[in-house]
Amino acid sequence: MGVDHGCWKGLPHYRHSISKMDPKGAFNYLIWHCNESLERYSFLTLQKLDSIEQFNEKSINKMPYCVLVIDEYCDMMNLCAQSPIGQDWFIHCIETITTLGPAVGVYLVMGTQRIEPDIITKKISKAFDTHMAFQTREKAESDLLIGLPGAEELGAMGEVIVHQIGQRLDKFKVNYFPDDKVKEFVKQLNQGKGGIDAEKERAASEPSDAEN
């Protein structure tokens, strides 16, 4: 969710529309991916298969991979805290997706600029096996983001540090793409839709009002 992703609107492979500045809508998408993870897991279990890869090797109708990107999740946390469901349900959805997701092809990417213990909680950090950070102001922020020091030593021009549980720290530099290049890239992707009615596909899979 967020205004920065508006330029990607209309891509043919989107399962849902972009949720701009709408934490409630974004949370509905989180619930959808949580349920999708559970349904896929149950289906693969009945088929006596261990992973989406095994299913796709044997099936003509391939099961697609799903990726949910939430670029600022603190607003969603605050929404849940103020609602009857509470933050426990938010954590439950995250844990379900990150636990079952790798086997069933459902993935979750979350980010925040609020480097605070009440936002990057121990439960949320524990749910993910890979953490990434850009330059932080101090060692304590690096510890909170990736579980180790190092991010405070990065440069400010796109340098990134990645910590995957059980692996050594990995540092690299990401490229910057100006808006005109992004728009050109999106245009090329849209030209390759191949006749798929993406809007109809997304409308059919939008969370129902019952989930609101």
Side-chain angles (χ1 to χ4, degrees):
M1 56 172 288
V3 296
D4 295 338
H5 298 299
C7 58
W8 302 101
K9 184 178 181 180
L11 286 180
H13 61 277
Y14 269 5
R15 186 80 181 190
H16 307 295
S17 59
I18 297 174
S19 181
K20 289 186 178 181
M21 305 302 292
D22 180 14
K24 183 177 180 181
F27 183 63
N28 282 339
Y29 296 159
L30 182 67
I31 293 175
W32 187 93
H33 282 76
C34 177
N35 291 335
E36 181 74 3
S37 298
L38 292 168
E39 290 174 6
R40 289 186 178 199
Y41 184 81
S42 297
F43 173 76
L44 292 177
T45 299
L46 290 174
Q47 299 295 317
K48 297 183 178 180
L49 298 172
D50 296 328
S51 67
I52 183 176
E53 288 81 11
Q54 291 182 0
F55 175 81
N56 286 342
E57 287 176 0
K58 299 180 178 181
S59 177
I60 297 177
N61 298 318
K62 308 300 183 184
M63 186 181 294
Y65 290 86
C66 298
V67 181
L68 176 63
V69 179
I70 305 172
D71 72 342
E72 182 53 80
Y73 69 84
C74 70
D75 294 332
M76 196 183 301
M77 287 185 67
N78 293 334
L79 175 71
C80 294
Q82 297 169 8
S83 70
I85 61 175
Q87 286 189 2
D88 288 344
W89 183 246
F90 175 73
I91 301 297
H92 165 74
C93 289
I94 292 173
E95 291 176 337
T96 299
I97 296 172
T98 56
T99 300
L100 303 181
V104 302
V106 180
Y107 296 91
L108 175 62
V109 179
M110 298 202 320
T112 183
Q113 296 185 43
R114 298 275 301 277
I115 311 176
E116 304 169 13
D118 58 337
I119 300 298
I120 308 175
T121 66
K122 290 183 179 180
K123 284 188 176 181
I124 290 178
S125 293
K126 188 177 180 180
F128 293 88
D129 61 6
T130 303
H131 301 83
M132 183 180 78
F134 290 95
Q135 183 188 54
T136 61
R137 293 170 296 183
E138 54 189 28
K139 175 179 174 295
E141 291 183 340
S142 180
D143 288 335
L144 192 58
L145 282 170
I146 64 173
L148 291 169
E152 75 281 2
E153 299 176 357
L154 296 174
M157 302 299 292
E159 290 190 0
V160 174
I161 190 168
V162 176
H163 179 217
Q164 187 173 2
I165 303 301
Q167 304 291 328
R168 56 182 291 181
L169 288 176
D170 190 15
K171 296 181 180 180
F172 57 93
K173 191 167 185 177
V174 297
N175 293 322
Y176 170 75
F177 288 89
D179 290 344
D180 59 334
K181 293 296 183 181
V182 173
K183 290 178 181 178
E184 180 182 345
F185 177 65
V186 171
K187 182 179 180 180
Q188 291 175 356
L189 289 177
N190 282 328
Q191 289 174 345
K193 285 183 178 181
I196 297 175
D197 192 339
E199 289 298 331
K200 182 181 292 186
E201 291 290 325
R202 284 196 294 273
S205 64
E206 289 292 336
S208 64
D209 292 338
E211 294 174 333
N212 293 335

